[in-house]
C-alpha cells in the first residue's frame, strides 16, 4: 500500500500589489479529487504543513464563480473537505517529516503555497530529499511554486532544466489577478531554469512528467496527476526513510 505525503500551505492571506490582501488556502478541488484517487487505490495519505498549523480551504474554491462548478457540486466539495477536517486541522509539522517513510510527495495548489511553501526551508528539505531518493514528486496548479524552496547539495536548484507546468499567466489573466500578484508561478519557475510547458489551452487538463517530477497545470489536472503519480510509484520507486535531522 503506497504511503503519500501531501504538503499543504498553512497561509490564509496573500498580499497584493495594490496594497490589499486576498483570502487564500488550498484549492478544494485539488485536494478532494486526488484524495479520491488515492483512496480508490488503497493508498495511505499523511498531510503536513509548516509547523503543523491547520490547512484551510480558499473560500473561492467553494463558489460557482471561482470554480465554474454548479452550486450542488460546490456543496459536494465542501462536504468532502469537511469530512477531512481531522487531517486538515491537525497535520504533521513539516519539521518532523524526517521521522516517516513515504513513497511520494503530492502538493496541491491554491495561491497559499505562493505565501509560505515557496520559501519554507523545511518544505525544500522534504521535497529535495524525496527527489534525491528517487521518489516521485507531484505538484498541481500553484503547487509547483513549492519547488522553489529546494536547493541541491551545491546550492543549485535541483529542478533546473526539468520540463514542468503550473497555473499559467494566461489563466491568471482570466481570473483577473495577473496584475495584482507580486509574482506568478510561471514566471518564477521559468526564471529559476524550468522548461515551462503550457497545455493546449487555459483550463484544460495538462500533465507533464520528467524524471520523477510530475506537474499539473490547473484544477482539471489534479485528478489525472494523482493517477499518474500512482503509476509512477508502481513503476518501481521504493520508499526510503529520510535521515533524521
Amino acid at each position: 500500500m503506497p504511503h503519500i505525503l501531501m504538503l499543504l500551505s498553512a497561509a490564509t492571506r496573500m498580499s497584493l500589489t495594490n496594497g490589499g490582501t486576498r483570502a487564500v488556502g488550498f484549492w478544494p478541488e485539488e485536494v478532494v479529487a486526488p484524495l479520491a484517487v488515492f483512496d480508490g487505490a488503497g493508498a495511505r495519505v499523511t498531510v503536513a504543513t509548516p509547523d503543523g498549523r491547520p490547512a484551510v480551504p480558499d473560500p473561492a474554491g467553494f463558489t460557482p464563480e471561482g470554480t465554474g462548478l454548479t452550486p450542488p457540486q460546490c456543496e459536494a466539495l465542501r462536504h468532502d473537505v469537511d469530512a477531512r477536517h481531522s487531517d486538515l486541522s491537525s497535520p504533521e509539522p513539516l519539521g518532523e517529516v524526517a521521522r516517516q517513510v513515504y513513497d511520494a510527495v503530492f502538493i496541491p495548489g491554491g495561491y497559499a503555497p505562493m505565501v509560505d511553501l515557496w520559501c519554507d526551508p523545511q518544505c525544500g528539505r522534504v521535497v529535495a530529499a524525496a527527489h534525491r531518493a528517487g521518489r516521485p514528486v507531484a505538484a498541481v496548479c500553484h503547487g509547483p511554486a513549492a519547488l522553489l524552496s529546494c536547493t541541491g547539495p551545491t546550492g543549485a536548484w535541483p529542478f533546473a532544466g526539468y520540463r514542468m507546468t503550473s497555473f499559467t499567466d494566461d489563466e491568471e489573466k482570466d481570473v483577473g489577478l495577473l496584475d495584482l500578484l507580486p509574482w506568478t508561478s510561471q514566471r518564477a519557475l521559468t526564471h529559476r531554469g524550468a522548461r515551462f510547458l503550457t497545455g493546449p489551452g487555459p483550463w484544460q487538463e495538462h500533465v507533464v512528467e520528467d524524471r520523477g517530477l510530475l506537474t499539473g497545470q490547473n484544477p482539471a489536472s489534479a485528478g489525472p496527476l494523482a493517477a499518474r503519480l500512482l503509476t509512477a510509484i508502481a513503476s518501481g520507486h521504493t520508499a526510503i526513510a529520510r535521515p533524521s535531522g
Side-chain angles (χ1 to χ4, degrees):
M1 179 177 69
H3 190 179
I4 298 168
L5 178 67
M6 180 174 282
L7 298 186
L8 291 176
S9 167
T12 59
R13 299 212 63 90
M14 181 181 195
S15 297
L16 302 176
T17 58
N18 64 0
T21 63
R22 171 189 172 88
V24 296
F26 64 81
W27 199 248
E29 188 177 355
E30 295 168 14
V31 170
V32 168
L35 285 175
V37 173
F38 298 149
D39 287 349
R44 177 185 172 194
V45 177
T46 294
V47 176
T49 66
D51 299 322
R53 299 194 304 276
V56 301
D58 187 322
F62 293 128
T63 66
E65 297 79 14
T67 62
L69 301 176
T70 66
Q73 289 173 319
C74 289
E75 283 305 309
L77 269 180
R78 188 182 296 277
H79 177 271
D80 289 340
V81 169
D82 288 344
R84 304 279 182 172
H85 176 74
S86 59
D87 292 332
L88 298 171
S89 61
S90 300
E92 290 284 330
L94 267 173
E96 297 181 12
V97 165
R99 304 174 187 174
Q100 304 293 331
V101 178
Y102 301 100
D103 295 286
V105 174
F106 189 91
I107 311 172
Y111 288 97
M114 295 175 62
V115 178
D116 57 4
L117 293 185
W118 79 276
C119 60
D120 187 285
Q122 294 295 342
C123 177
R125 177 185 62 81
V126 168
V127 173
H131 182 64
R132 287 197 302 271
R135 283 167 288 169
V137 173
V140 63
C141 202
H142 294 91
L147 302 175
L148 299 168
S149 65
C150 299
T151 56
T154 64
W157 193 44
F159 299 107
Y162 277 62
R163 293 180 295 112
M164 67 181 75
T165 192
S166 76
F167 202 66
T168 67
D169 285 0
D170 284 344
E171 288 163 326
E172 299 289 12
K173 185 176 181 180
D174 281 349
V175 298
L177 287 173
L178 182 61
D179 295 330
L180 293 175
L181 297 171
W183 51 280
T184 69
S185 181
Q186 178 176 348
R187 293 174 189 170
L189 292 169
T190 301
H191 180 73
R192 286 293 293 273
R195 294 174 57 194
F196 196 92
L197 303 178
T198 59
W203 309 106
Q204 297 185 45
E205 175 189 327
H206 179 54
V207 174
V208 176
E209 184 173 355
D210 188 357
R211 291 168 282 176
L213 176 67
L214 299 86
T215 50
Q217 181 171 316
N218 45 38
S221 308
L225 178 66
R228 286 276 288 273
L229 180 62
L230 290 174
T231 299
I233 295 171
S235 69
H237 292 278
T238 302
I240 301 173
R242 295 183 179 85
S244 61

